[in-house]
Amino acid sequence: MGTIKDFKYKLIKNFLTQEEIKLLTDYCRIKHRLNSNSFDIKQNDNGDTYFYGDPLMESLMVNKINIMEKESGLKLIPTYAFWRMYTMFADLKKHIDKPSCEISVTVMIGSDGTKWPIYMDGTEINMEPGDAAVYLGCEIVHWREEFKGDWHAQTFLHYVDKNGPNKEWKKDKRLLYGSQK
């Protein structure tokens, strides 16, 4: 198993257990159906649900820190998590992330079955429910092409190196995990 010095991104199969996949899929589908005010109109103006600081996803972020430290070879500090329910015609523009996303993981929760790869530095990465792509968020250009399916739930867990230049981003400079401020 390589450390962050050995890779810029990598796929982790079965990052989530089958029980976690079921719980998170049901949670996201229910919360998306009931959503009336949490949309990311900056990225996609098509009805995509977006929840920053969601308590369940931030609990997942904190609980997956051991896996993330093993995969990165670093001592990490969790910063923030969010999740999105992508819908038809969504995309993800080419970008790199902000300093609080130094070590990031995008986790596929579930979908309608439509394949929708993420691209890391031009390399196509396909994920199944429960798989995750770990990457250097501030260095790796990543994106997705236009989504042709009905729904796709993805969570994003972000960390910084405990001994690195971005350690002040602990909790994304919030007082508590799960809070908006």
Side-chain angles (χ1 to χ4, degrees), residues 14-173:
N14 304 308
F15 184 80
L16 299 176
T17 66
Q18 288 301 310
E19 293 82 11
E20 289 169 330
I21 293 168
K22 174 84 171 102
L23 172 74
L24 294 172
T25 298
D26 290 347
Y27 174 80
C28 290
R29 293 191 75 193
I30 290 167
K31 197 150 180 175
H32 173 69
R33 193 173 306 122
L34 299 174
N35 181 27
S36 63
N37 64 355
S38 191
F39 303 99
D40 185 5
I41 58 173
K42 285 187 263 180
Q43 183 173 314
N44 289 302
D45 192 13
N46 65 338
D48 287 356
T49 295
Y50 171 91
F51 286 97
Y52 167 87
D54 181 271
L56 181 58
M57 299 307 172
E58 294 217 329
S59 296
L60 182 69
M61 171 189 65
V62 170
N63 279 275
K64 294 295 183 177
I65 194 163
N66 290 339
I67 292 171
M68 290 300 296
E69 287 182 339
K70 178 183 173 199
E71 293 294 336
S72 69
L74 299 170
K75 285 302 219 183
L76 299 175
I77 300 170
T79 58
Y80 75 97
F82 73 94
W83 70 273
R84 174 176 269 121
M85 179 69 79
Y86 292 97
T87 57
M88 187 174 283
F89 306 125
D91 64 8
L92 179 63
K93 305 287 188 242
K94 288 183 180 182
H95 70 285
I96 59 171
D97 295 328
K98 59 187 180 178
S100 55
C101 307
E102 187 176 12
I103 313 299
S104 293
V105 59
T106 180
V107 184
M108 185 194 183
I109 294 171
S111 77
D112 64 357
T114 303
K115 298 293 182 198
W116 197 38
I118 188 165
Y119 293 87
M120 301 273 178
D121 270 352
T123 301
E124 180 178 304
I125 298 175
N126 285 290
M127 293 186 278
E128 298 296 324
D131 292 348
V134 177
Y135 58 101
L136 301 177
C138 302
E139 294 181 29
I140 299 299
V141 176
H142 50 285
W143 71 93
R144 290 179 188 266
E145 302 296 332
E146 187 176 82
F147 183 54
K148 304 294 186 195
D150 185 41
W151 67 273
H152 180 103
Q154 197 81 17
T155 190
F156 306 85
L157 315 176
H158 301 292
Y159 305 85
V160 292
D161 181 348
K162 187 175 186 176
N163 300 307
N166 298 312
K167 60 185 171 237
E168 77 273 7
W169 286 96
K170 178 180 181 176
K171 297 180 185 170
D172 206 26
K173 297 188 178 182

